[in-house]
Amino acid sequence: MTTQTLSPSPVYQGQFGEFTINQSDRTGVIIYRAGLMVAALSFAAGTVLALFYNNPATIQAITPLYTCFSLALGVSLLTIHIYMAPLHRLLQVFWLIGSISAFIFAHVDSQPFAVTVYTNPLTILGIGFTFAALTGIYFKEAFCFNRLETKALTFTVPILLLGHLVGVLPIQVEQVFLGVWATLFLVFALRKTFQAIPADIGDKSVFAYLKAQGSAKV
């Protein structure tokens, strides 16, 4: 009779002590990355329709693609590991404001959602919160992992949105920025699938320390 033994989880040395990574941690990272991939694919599909198949039927199809993008981004924001809890909550609030705004704009105008946003730049003051949350992810990834594509996206997204809001970018420039955004977003999501899972979990001893500090202040 043979017995099987499970190998113990590796013990990591963190800034404030040792820690281990359990299956729940790994599942959270997988969900985070899956959300990013779905969001990136949805965004890329919508971009292709907008840039190369500009007709009423395809423009209408951008609405469900945007919904899929937004929901997937929300899932990623729930499972992302960020040391600063207030910043994490802020990004989630931004996503919620942007989602509510998108829902309202999609239902108060008879035009397709993409047309409403494009022809009424002030809508960016609402749905732009969603993209501010996404830019927060880009910035976090650029800061933590020094990724070239997320460094570029951290600047590309605000420039495009603010440029459209104030009307200073020619349509050809906006199209280039949108294409670059969709491409780099896909590159980012694809590269995440090959990254070691513990890297996305981070130093759990820091999370424990910050949680303990917050409890001590209550």
Side-chain angles (χ1 to χ4, degrees), residues 18-202:
E18 296 180 340
F19 66 92
T20 59
I21 293 175
N22 55 39
Q23 187 56 46
S24 177
D25 297 324
R26 295 179 179 276
T27 300
V29 171
I30 293 171
I31 294 173
Y32 165 65
R33 294 179 181 181
L36 287 178
M37 180 60 73
V38 172
L41 289 171
S42 301
F43 189 84
T47 298
V48 169
L49 293 180
L51 295 180
F52 303 108
Y53 301 95
N54 197 329
N55 62 69
T58 55
I59 294 301
Q60 190 69 51
I62 292 176
T63 302
L65 286 171
Y66 183 87
T67 300
C68 187
F69 154 79
S70 183
L71 291 175
L73 177 61
V75 170
S76 289
L77 285 168
L78 281 175
T79 51
I80 189 174
H81 287 75
I82 298 178
Y83 292 129
M84 296 177 61
L87 177 59
H88 191 179
R89 296 292 176 263
L90 180 63
L91 295 182
Q92 292 173 334
V93 170
F94 278 4
W95 172 84
L96 183 61
I97 294 173
S99 298
I100 293 174
S101 299
F103 180 84
I104 293 173
F105 296 145
H107 288 82
V108 299
D109 195 342
S110 59
Q111 299 182 100
F113 176 70
V115 175
T116 298
V117 172
Y118 183 77
T119 57
N120 298 277
L122 287 178
T123 56
I124 292 176
L125 295 175
I127 68 168
F129 280 93
T130 294
F131 298 110
L134 177 59
T135 304
I137 293 180
Y138 294 152
F139 178 80
K140 180 261 183 186
E141 292 282 343
F143 180 82
C144 293
F145 303 114
N146 197 31
R147 293 189 179 280
L148 180 60
E149 66 272 17
T150 50
K151 287 181 180 180
L153 286 167
T154 300
F155 294 98
T156 300
V157 176
I159 290 173
L160 174 58
L161 296 181
L162 292 175
H164 183 69
L165 175 63
V166 299
V168 298
L169 295 178
I171 184 172
Q172 294 84 358
V173 175
E174 290 187 345
Q175 290 173 338
V176 170
F177 269 79
L178 184 60
V180 170
W181 180 357
T183 301
L184 292 182
F185 193 2
L186 270 178
V187 170
F188 164 51
L190 286 170
R191 288 188 66 192
K192 290 299 292 182
T193 62
F194 298 101
Q195 185 177 5
I197 286 181
D200 262 340
I201 297 171

